[in-house]
Coordinates of all heavy atoms in Angstrom, one line a residue:
Chain B
V4 N 31.5 59.5 -0.8 CA 31.9 59.4 0.6 C 32.9 58.3 0.8 O 34.0 58.4 1.4 CB 30.7 59.3 1.6 CG1 31.2 59.1 3.0 CG2 29.8 60.5 1.5
L5 N 32.5 57.2 0.2 CA 33.4 55.9 0.3 C 34.7 56.2 -0.3 O 35.8 55.8 0.3 CB 32.7 54.8 -0.4 CG 33.3 53.4 -0.2 CD1 33.1 53.0 1.3 CD2 32.6 52.4 -1.1
H6 N 34.7 56.8 -1.5 CA 36.0 57.0 -2.2 C 36.9 58.0 -1.4 O 38.1 57.8 -1.3 CB 35.7 57.6 -3.6 CG 35.4 56.5 -4.6 ND1 34.1 56.1 -4.8 CD2 36.2 55.8 -5.4 CE1 34.1 55.1 -5.7 NE2 35.4 54.9 -6.1
V7 N 36.2 59.1 -0.9 CA 37.0 60.0 -0.1 C 37.6 59.3 1.1 O 38.7 59.6 1.4 CB 36.0 61.2 0.3 CG1 36.7 62.1 1.3 CG2 35.6 62.0 -0.9
T8 N 36.8 58.5 1.7 CA 37.3 57.8 2.9 C 38.5 56.9 2.6 O 39.5 56.9 3.3 CB 36.2 56.8 3.5 OG1 34.9 57.6 3.5 CG2 36.5 56.3 4.9
V9 N 38.3 56.2 1.4 CA 39.4 55.4 1.0 C 40.7 56.2 0.8 O 41.8 55.8 1.2 CB 39.1 54.6 -0.3 CG1 40.3 53.9 -0.9 CG2 37.9 53.6 0.0
V10 N 40.5 57.3 0.1 CA 41.7 58.2 -0.2 C 42.3 58.7 1.1 O 43.5 58.6 1.2 CB 41.3 59.3 -1.1 CG1 42.4 60.3 -1.3 CG2 40.8 58.8 -2.5
L11 N 41.5 59.2 2.0 CA 42.0 59.7 3.2 C 42.7 58.6 4.0 O 43.8 58.8 4.5 CB 40.8 60.2 4.1 CG 40.3 61.6 3.7 CD1 39.1 62.0 4.5 CD2 41.4 62.6 4.0
L12 N 42.1 57.5 4.1 CA 42.7 56.4 4.8 C 44.0 56.0 4.2 O 45.0 55.7 4.9 CB 41.8 55.1 4.8 CG 40.6 55.2 5.8 CD1 39.6 54.0 5.5 CD2 41.1 55.2 7.2
S13 N 44.1 56.0 2.9 CA 45.3 55.6 2.3 C 46.4 56.6 2.5 O 47.6 56.3 2.7 CB 45.1 55.4 0.8 OG 44.7 56.6 0.2
V14 N 46.0 57.9 2.6 CA 47.0 59.0 2.8 C 47.4 58.9 4.3 O 48.6 58.9 4.6 CB 46.4 60.4 2.6 CG1 47.3 61.5 3.0 CG2 46.1 60.5 1.1
I15 N 46.5 58.7 5.2 CA 46.8 58.7 6.6 C 47.4 57.4 7.0 O 48.4 57.2 7.7 CB 45.6 59.0 7.5 CG1 45.0 60.4 7.2 CG2 45.9 58.9 9.0 CD1 43.6 60.6 7.6
G16 N 46.8 56.4 6.5 CA 47.1 55.0 7.0 C 48.5 54.5 6.5 O 49.2 53.9 7.2
L17 N 48.7 54.7 5.2 CA 49.8 54.1 4.6 C 51.2 54.4 5.3 O 51.9 53.6 5.6 CB 49.9 54.4 3.1 CG 49.2 53.4 2.2 CD1 49.2 53.9 0.8 CD2 49.8 52.0 2.3
P18 N 51.4 55.7 5.5 CA 52.7 56.0 6.1 C 52.8 55.4 7.5 O 53.9 54.9 7.8 CB 52.6 57.6 6.2 CG 51.6 58.0 5.3 CD 50.6 56.9 5.2
Y19 N 51.7 55.4 8.2 CA 51.8 54.8 9.6 C 52.1 53.3 9.5 O 52.7 52.7 10.4 CB 50.6 55.1 10.4 CG 50.6 56.5 10.9 CD1 49.9 57.5 10.3 CD2 51.4 56.8 12.0 CE1 50.0 58.8 10.8 CE2 51.4 58.1 12.5 CZ 50.7 59.1 11.9 OH 50.8 60.4 12.4
L20 N 51.5 52.8 8.5 CA 51.7 51.3 8.3 C 53.2 51.0 8.2 O 53.7 50.0 8.7 CB 51.0 50.8 7.0 CG 49.6 50.2 7.2 CD1 49.1 49.8 5.9 CD2 49.7 49.0 8.2
Q21 N 53.9 51.9 7.5 CA 55.3 51.7 7.2 C 56.1 52.1 8.5 O 57.1 51.5 8.8 CB 55.8 52.5 6.0 CG 55.2 52.0 4.7 CD 55.5 52.9 3.6 OE1 55.9 54.0 3.8 NE2 55.3 52.4 2.4
R22 N 55.6 53.2 9.1 CA 56.4 53.7 10.2 C 56.4 52.8 11.4 O 57.4 52.5 12.0 CB 56.0 55.1 10.6 CG 56.5 56.2 9.7 CD 55.9 57.5 10.1 NE 55.9 58.4 9.0 CZ 55.3 59.6 9.0 NH1 54.6 60.0 10.0 NH2 55.4 60.4 7.9
T23 N 55.2 52.4 11.8 CA 55.0 51.7 13.1 C 55.9 50.5 13.2 O 56.6 50.3 14.2 CB 53.6 51.3 13.4 OG1 53.0 50.9 12.2 CG2 52.8 52.5 14.0
P24 N 55.9 49.6 12.2 CA 56.8 48.5 12.4 C 58.3 49.0 12.5 O 59.1 48.4 13.3 CB 56.7 47.7 11.0 CG 55.9 48.6 10.1 CD 55.2 49.6 11.0
A25 N 58.6 50.1 11.8 CA 60.0 50.6 12.0 C 60.2 51.0 13.4 O 61.3 50.7 14.0 CB 60.2 51.8 11.0
K26 N 59.2 51.7 14.0 CA 59.4 52.2 15.3 C 59.6 51.1 16.3 O 60.4 51.1 17.2 CB 58.2 53.0 15.7 CG 58.2 54.5 15.4 CD 57.0 55.2 15.9 CE 57.1 56.7 15.5 NZ 55.9 57.4 16.0
E27 N 58.8 50.1 16.1 CA 58.9 48.9 17.0 C 60.1 48.1 16.8 O 60.7 47.6 17.7 CB 57.7 48.0 16.8 CG 56.4 48.6 17.4 CD 55.2 47.8 17.1 OE1 55.3 46.8 16.3 OE2 54.1 48.2 17.5
N28 N 60.5 48.1 15.6 CA 61.7 47.2 15.3 C 63.0 47.9 15.7 O 63.9 47.3 16.1 CB 61.7 46.9 13.8 CG 60.7 45.8 13.5 OD1 60.3 45.2 14.4 ND2 60.3 45.7 12.2
I29 N 63.0 49.2 15.5 CA 64.3 49.9 15.7 C 64.8 49.7 17.1 O 65.9 49.3 17.3 CB 64.2 51.4 15.3 CG1 64.0 51.5 13.8 CG2 65.4 52.2 15.8 CD1 63.5 52.8 13.3
P30 N 63.9 50.0 18.1 CA 64.4 49.8 19.5 C 64.9 48.4 19.7 O 65.9 48.1 20.4 CB 63.3 50.1 20.4 CG 62.1 50.3 19.5 CD 62.6 50.5 18.1
M31 N 64.1 47.4 19.1 CA 64.5 46.0 19.3 C 65.9 45.8 18.7 O 66.7 45.1 19.3 CB 63.5 45.1 18.5 CG 62.1 45.1 19.2 SD 62.2 44.3 20.8 CE 62.5 42.6 20.4
V32 N 66.1 46.3 17.5 CA 67.4 46.1 16.9 C 68.5 46.7 17.7 O 69.5 46.1 17.9 CB 67.4 46.7 15.5 CG1 68.7 46.7 14.9 CG2 66.4 46.0 14.6
V33 N 68.2 47.9 18.2 CA 69.2 48.6 19.0 C 69.6 47.7 20.2 O 70.8 47.5 20.5 CB 68.7 50.0 19.5 CG1 69.7 50.6 20.5 CG2 68.6 50.9 18.3
E34 N 68.6 47.2 20.8 CA 68.9 46.3 22.0 C 69.7 45.1 21.6 O 70.7 44.7 22.3 CB 67.6 45.9 22.6 CG 66.9 47.0 23.4 CD 65.5 46.6 23.9 OE1 65.2 45.4 23.8 OE2 64.7 47.5 24.2
L35 N 69.3 44.5 20.5 CA 70.0 43.3 20.1 C 71.4 43.6 19.7 O 72.3 42.9 20.0 CB 69.3 42.7 18.9 CG 68.0 41.9 19.2 CD1 67.3 41.6 18.0 CD2 68.4 40.7 20.0
V36 N 71.6 44.8 19.0 CA 72.9 45.1 18.5 C 73.9 45.3 19.7 O 75.0 44.8 19.7 CB 72.9 46.4 17.7 CG1 74.3 47.0 17.5 CG2 72.2 46.1 16.4
S37 N 73.3 45.8 20.7 CA 74.2 46.0 21.9 C 74.7 44.7 22.5 O 75.8 44.6 22.9 CB 73.5 46.8 23.0 OG 72.3 46.1 23.4
I38 N 73.8 43.7 22.4 CA 74.2 42.4 22.9 C 75.1 41.7 21.9 O 76.2 41.2 22.2 CB 73.0 41.5 23.2 CG1 72.2 42.2 24.3 CG2 73.4 40.1 23.7 CD1 70.7 41.7 24.3
A39 N 74.6 41.7 20.7 CA 75.3 41.0 19.6 C 76.7 41.4 19.4 O 77.6 40.7 18.9 CB 74.5 41.0 18.3
S40 N 77.0 42.7 19.6 CA 78.3 43.2 19.4 C 79.3 42.5 20.3 O 80.5 42.3 19.9 CB 78.3 44.7 19.6 OG 78.0 45.0 21.0
E41 N 78.9 42.1 21.4 CA 79.8 41.5 22.3 C 79.8 39.9 22.2 O 80.8 39.3 22.1 CB 79.5 41.8 23.8 CG 79.7 43.2 24.2 CD 81.2 43.6 24.0 OE1 82.1 42.8 24.3 OE2 81.5 44.7 23.5
T42 N 78.6 39.5 22.1 CA 78.5 38.0 22.0 C 78.4 37.7 20.5 O 79.2 38.2 19.7 CB 77.2 37.5 22.6 OG1 76.1 38.2 22.0 CG2 77.2 37.7 24.1
N43 N 77.5 36.8 20.0 CA 77.4 36.6 18.6 C 76.0 36.3 18.2 O 75.4 35.3 18.6 CB 78.3 35.4 18.1 CG 78.1 34.2 19.0 OD1 77.5 34.3 20.0 ND2 78.7 33.1 18.6
L44 N 75.4 37.3 17.6 CA 74.0 37.1 17.1 C 73.8 35.9 16.2 O 72.8 35.2 16.4 CB 73.6 38.4 16.3 CG 72.5 39.2 17.0 CD1 72.2 40.4 16.0 CD2 71.3 38.5 17.3
P45 N 74.7 35.6 15.4 CA 74.5 34.5 14.5 C 74.4 33.2 15.2 O 73.9 32.2 14.7 CB 75.8 34.4 13.6 CG 76.3 35.8 13.7 CD 75.9 36.3 15.0
A46 N 74.8 33.2 16.5 CA 74.7 31.9 17.2 C 73.3 31.4 17.3 O 73.1 30.2 17.2 CB 75.3 32.1 18.6
Q47 N 72.4 32.3 17.4 CA 71.0 31.8 17.5 C 70.5 31.1 16.2 O 70.0 30.0 16.3 CB 70.1 33.0 17.8 CG 70.1 33.3 19.3 CD 69.2 34.4 19.7 OE1 68.6 35.1 18.8 NE2 69.0 34.6 21.0
P48 N 70.6 31.7 15.1 CA 70.2 31.0 13.9 C 71.0 29.7 13.7 O 70.4 28.7 13.2 CB 70.6 31.9 12.7 CG 71.2 33.1 13.3 CD 71.0 33.1 14.8
I49 N 72.2 29.6 14.2 CA 72.9 28.3 14.1 C 72.4 27.3 15.0 O 72.3 26.1 14.6 CB 74.4 28.6 14.3 CG1 75.0 29.4 13.2 CG2 75.2 27.2 14.3 CD1 76.3 30.1 13.6
R50 N 72.0 27.7 16.2 CA 71.5 26.7 17.1 C 70.2 26.0 16.6 O 70.1 24.8 16.8 CB 71.1 27.4 18.4 CG 72.3 27.5 19.3 CD 72.0 28.3 20.6 NE 73.2 28.7 21.3 CZ 73.2 29.6 22.2 NH1 72.1 30.2 22.6 NH2 74.3 29.9 22.8
E51 N 69.4 26.7 15.9 CA 68.2 26.1 15.4 C 68.5 24.9 14.4 O 68.0 23.8 14.7 CB 67.4 27.1 14.6 CG 66.7 28.0 15.6 CD 65.9 29.1 14.9 OE1 65.7 29.0 13.7 OE2 65.4 30.0 15.6
P52 N 69.3 25.1 13.4 CA 69.7 23.9 12.6 C 70.3 22.8 13.4 O 70.1 21.6 13.1 CB 70.6 24.5 11.6 CG 70.9 25.9 11.9 CD 69.9 26.3 12.9
V53 N 71.0 23.2 14.4 CA 71.7 22.1 15.2 C 70.6 21.2 15.8 O 70.7 20.0 15.8 CB 72.6 22.7 16.3 CG1 73.0 21.6 17.3 CG2 73.8 23.4 15.7
S54 N 69.6 21.9 16.4 CA 68.5 21.1 17.0 C 67.8 20.3 16.0 O 67.4 19.2 16.3 CB 67.5 22.1 17.7 OG 66.9 22.9 16.7
K55 N 67.7 20.8 14.8 CA 67.1 20.0 13.7 C 67.9 18.7 13.5 O 67.4 17.7 13.4 CB 67.1 20.8 12.4 CG 66.0 21.8 12.3 CD 66.1 22.5 10.9 CE 65.8 24.0 11.0 NZ 66.3 24.7 9.8

Side-chain angles (χ1 to χ4, degrees):
Chain B
V4 174
L5 189 67
H6 278 90
V7 170
T8 316
V9 170
V10 172
L11 280 172
L12 283 172
S13 59
V14 171
I15 300 163
L17 270 174
Y19 280 101
L20 265 179
Q21 290 172 348
R22 281 175 202 171
T23 40
K26 273 184 181 179
E27 285 173 358
N28 285 340
I29 291 163
M31 288 296 288
V32 171
V33 169
E34 284 169 15
L35 282 170
V36 166
S37 62
I38 298 161
S40 60
E41 290 302 319
T42 58
N43 48 353
L44 248 183
Q47 281 184 346
I49 292 160
R50 273 175 197 166
E51 286 178 9
V53 170
S54 62
K55 282 180 217 165

